[in-house]
Amino acid sequence: MRIDWDVPVPMSDGAVLRADVFRPDDDGEYPVLMTLGPYGKGLAFQEGFAGMWQRLATAYPDAVAGSTNAYQVWETPDPEKWVPDGFICIRVDSRGAGRSAGLLDMLSEQEARDYYEAIEWAGVQGWSSGRVGLLGISYYAANQWLVAALRPPHLEAICPWEGFTDFYRDLNRHGGILNRFGQAWQDHQIFTVQHGVGERGRRNPNNGELVAGPPTLSEDELAANRVETIGEGKRRALLDEFSRVRTPDLTRIEVPVLSAANWAHHLHTRGNFDGYATVSSPRKWLEVHGHEHYAEFYTDYGVALQKRFFGHFLKDEATGWEQQPPVRLNVRHVDGSFEGRDEQQWPLTRTRWTRFYLDAASATLSTTEPTAEHTADFPAPGPGADFWTAPLTDPLEITGPASARVRVSSTTTDADLFVTLRVQDPSGNEVSLVSAIDAHGVLAVGWLRASHRELDEQRTLPHQPWHSHTRTLPLTPGQPVDVDVEIWPTSLVIPPGYRLGVTLSGRDFQMPGDGPWPVLYGIEQRGNGVFVHDDPDDLRAGIYDGTTTLHTGPHSRTSLLLPVIPPPA
């Protein structure tokens, strides 16, 4: 393998980005797999994300087998697993990050244009076959959607692996409620490798160069060279132009797409399903898996899937991809196992959309509608109100998107509503599911700030309410309103004897028990990973600390719409 470090990639405005190019050591022409982003192309996975690396190596040994792992970088392909098969791997530091000078402006129009130009640069190099694909996780997936919507001529196929599509709804504000993850992520993963951190940062273990250099700038100089993307998102409570330009027009994407989703990622799950559903490309596939956020991308299962896709579209190889079903699901079971299943569509056409009604009189959840109106009060800052089915008599598979229809009132002019789907075993113990970011994840979650309840009627579906987030509709204290809450897609087969439940609360659900709970970025992970909604600047006293009243009954129709999948005939 030949490695060219810090290759200059000229931009049309005179800026120069820096790329590392890993390619076969001969004079041939090969297709390119590219990533461009702000995580530092020279930051070793083992150093920058040591805990995740240890978990990957220990729990998924196949992910690190067959490679020296010397060139592993967080959320990007391992060149040692691709170059021997006739691919070129290129990692580009985005403008203002790592080795690339300039203004750091995450997910901006400028960054998308830079990515476009980097793709076109790679497409005409002497070692390139002229065919470029994009492959990466998270940020390296999110900006695939953005640049693919610009339609670079040399872009042939994309594989966004667990990557959000909506800056406002997925990253910044769940249902209009500020998500505190963004600030922690930006401060720990982005600003620590901003171009100019220099001597205060790490070195590339392969060439000894500073990961975020060569200059070492003062903190004031660094601050002047970046846009406070998350801070701007926090300041903007409604969806405006700042969010719109960072959200791709998915309908413009026409290249082949393999969208790989995780059932339980409170940043990325929604985006991969929406991306698959919305792109215009007739050649699109959806794959859904579980486990930790970064795991399946590197396992033999994930790499084999990626190679079949890119071998077909970048190299015209007979990989069997022409027989690949449109949808590949790994359906979850309560014991942590997965059942691989091929499907023809999403959501599944055989779905039995089933209403489960909440009854405040008995705290039950049932497919039978209550016969009388009742209410349940709960303090907004408290644990909320729980509703449970009777023990199941037959297996129950829930696979797909879901929603909640809730009639609610408050003693104040607003209220946050968290809808958390849960499962208990026959002994009454909470079932926790390994999610993308949390070892103790719940089945599914939906969020909504009541003042953001206005729907975009053109985009709303029964199983996916679509909120416009362009104006607020304050509550009148004591007066009930109907709200529709989007619950992100999920999957689980619940065995007989278990119970399905839902918690409605005014704050994040917390797994019961004393822990100890893992902590990441100073955030205790108790069912929601690092995606919590407790920023004091977003929860004004006197508004979000009142008493919430839930109304149930035949007029209220407070219920869940769940995707029940019938057993095979």
Side-chain angles (χ1 to χ4, degrees):
M1 182 167 67
R2 176 174 176 175
I3 308 172
D4 299 314
W5 305 105
D6 275 351
V7 176
V9 182
M11 299 288 104
S12 58
D13 65 354
V16 175
L17 307 187
R18 296 290 172 176
D20 293 340
V21 180
F22 302 81
R23 56 192 176 96
D25 190 18
D26 58 35
D27 295 327
E29 298 177 357
Y30 299 95
V32 170
L33 292 177
M34 178 178 283
T35 56
L36 178 146
Y39 288 167
K41 61 182 175 58
L43 180 61
F45 192 156
Q46 299 90 327
E47 294 183 14
F49 301 87
M52 286 78 159
W53 175 260
Q54 288 301 322
R55 172 66 180 167
L56 182 69
T58 302
Y60 308 95
D62 60 311
V64 299
S67 171
T68 70
N69 298 299
Y71 308 106
Q72 289 275 25
V73 170
W74 176 244
E75 300 187 331
T76 66
D78 178 4
E80 290 187 71
K81 292 191 175 182
W82 288 89
V83 173
D85 285 353
F87 291 89
I88 298 170
C89 291
I90 301 180
R91 296 168 176 159
V92 186
D93 278 336
S94 56
R95 190 182 297 233
R99 306 282 294 180
S100 296
L103 178 70
L104 176 61
D105 191 359
M106 296 185 295
L107 301 165
S108 64
E109 290 180 291
Q110 180 65 64
E111 184 180 280
R113 289 194 297 270
D114 287 350
Y115 207 168
Y116 179 111
E117 294 189 26
I119 290 168
E120 292 307 292
W121 169 85
V124 298
Q125 299 306 301
W127 32 254
S128 171
S129 68
R131 305 169 81 172
V132 179
L134 307 181
L135 173 64
I137 314 177
S138 189
Y139 196 105
Y140 297 115
N143 65 4
Q144 287 184 47
W145 303 110
L146 284 162
V147 71
L150 300 181
R151 301 176 179 172
H154 285 92
L155 181 62
E156 294 281 338
I158 65 172
C159 179
W161 198 279
E162 299 189 31
F164 64 85
T165 58
D166 194 309
F167 181 87
Y168 183 94
R169 296 176 178 87
D170 298 353
L171 170 62
N172 237 28
R173 291 183 174 271
H174 291 148
I177 309 168
L178 185 67
N179 171 19
R180 194 155 64 88
F181 161 78
Q183 193 71 54
W185 161 72
Q186 176 184 261
D187 294 348
H188 286 86
Q189 289 187 225
I190 309 294
F191 290 173
T192 53
V193 288
Q194 182 182 352
H195 181 77
V197 167
E199 296 287 351
R200 294 192 298 274
R202 295 184 181 271
R203 290 184 178 272
N204 184 327
N206 294 294
N207 62 15
E209 297 289 350
L210 292 168
V211 168
T216 301
L217 305 179
S218 69
E219 292 296 339
D220 288 344
E221 289 173 311
L222 289 173
N225 282 342
R226 67 191 182 215
V227 174
E228 289 283 346
T229 306
I230 299 302
E232 284 294 318
K234 177 178 178 178
R235 186 171 65 84
R236 301 161 186 266
L238 295 175
L239 197 162
D240 62 8
E241 193 63 17
F242 188 83
S243 294
R244 289 190 187 95
V245 299
R246 289 165 171 78
T247 299
D249 179 355
L250 296 168
T251 64
R252 287 185 48 80
I253 298 177
E254 298 178 338
V255 296
V257 177
L258 170 57
S259 178
N262 190 304
W263 288 121
H265 198 302
H266 294 175
L267 172 61
H268 296 313
T269 294
R270 182 183 187 276
N272 280 101
F273 286 102
D274 280 354
Y276 170 75
T278 310
V279 297
S280 294
S281 174
R283 297 168 297 172
K284 60 181 182 179
W285 290 264
L286 175 67
E287 185 276 343
V288 196
H289 53 268
H291 298 306
E292 293 86 346
H293 163 54
Y294 47 86
E296 290 287 28
F297 181 83
Y298 295 99
T299 63
D300 287 347
Y301 164 81
V303 173
L305 187 73
Q306 297 156 20
K307 285 188 175 181
R308 289 179 56 233
F309 175 72
F310 285 114
H312 179 81
F313 286 110
L314 298 188
K315 300 178 72 177
D316 299 324
E317 292 179 341
T319 66
W321 193 261
E322 61 274 9
Q323 279 82 47
Q324 181 73 15
V327 177
R328 172 68 176 179
L329 304 182
N330 290 284
V331 177
R332 292 194 295 183
H333 290 261
V334 294
D335 63 358
S337 65
F338 293 86
E339 171 195 347
R341 200 166 71 200
D342 293 330
E343 301 285 355
Q344 294 300 310
Q345 67 292 118
W346 182 265
L348 308 186
T349 53
R350 67 182 183 280
T351 302
R352 293 177 181 166
W353 296 104
T354 305
R355 286 217 169 268
F356 286 75
Y357 294 92
L358 286 66
D359 188 349
S362 57
T364 57
L365 183 66
S366 169
T367 55
T368 301
E369 188 172 10
T371 58
E373 298 290 318
H374 291 280
T375 60
D377 296 339
F378 56 87
D386 303 332
F387 301 83
W388 292 96
T389 66
L392 300 178
T393 56
D394 297 298
L396 174 66
E397 180 183 338
I398 296 172
T399 296
S403 64
R405 173 190 297 159
V406 181
R407 180 163 292 179
V408 67
S409 58
S410 173
T411 57
T412 70
T413 57
D414 209 347
D416 288 342
L417 197 60
F418 294 72
V419 181
T420 305
L421 302 188
R422 303 164 57 191
V423 178
Q424 285 184 347
D425 70 15
S427 299
N429 300 311
E430 193 81 20
V431 173
S432 69
L433 303 163
V434 174
S435 77
I437 302 292
D438 197 328
H440 305 283
V442 296
L443 174 54
V445 184
W447 312 263
L448 185 67
R449 178 156 285 173
S451 60
H452 286 239
R453 63 189 179 276
E454 185 175 45
L455 296 173
D456 180 335
E457 298 293 350
Q458 290 187 330
R459 301 196 66 172
T460 289
L461 299 169
H463 56 265
Q464 189 181 27
W466 193 281
H467 299 92
S468 58
H469 299 295
T470 53
R471 64 171 179 163
T472 57
L473 302 173
L475 301 179
T476 299
Q479 180 175 316
V481 297
D482 294 321
V483 300
D484 294 281
V485 183
E486 176 186 9
I487 300 172
W488 287 13
T490 188
S491 174
L492 188 67
V493 178
I494 308 172
Y498 284 63
R499 297 198 298 167
L500 171 67
V502 62
T503 293
L504 273 67
S505 59
R507 63 163 170 81
D508 291 296
F509 171 79
Q510 294 184 338
M511 276 283 179
D514 298 325
W517 307 102
V519 175
L520 180 63
Y521 301 152
I523 299 173
E524 191 176 55
Q525 300 180 76
R526 295 187 58 177
N528 296 280
V530 291
F531 306 100
V532 296
H533 305 79
D534 57 0
D535 190 308
D537 294 334
D538 191 54
L539 302 175
R540 299 190 302 279
I543 298 180
Y544 299 105
D545 53 2
T547 297
T548 303
T549 299
L550 177 69
H551 301 253
T552 69
H555 300 297
S556 303
R557 294 186 61 86
T558 293
S559 58
L560 305 174
L561 182 64
L562 299 184
V564 174
I565 307 302

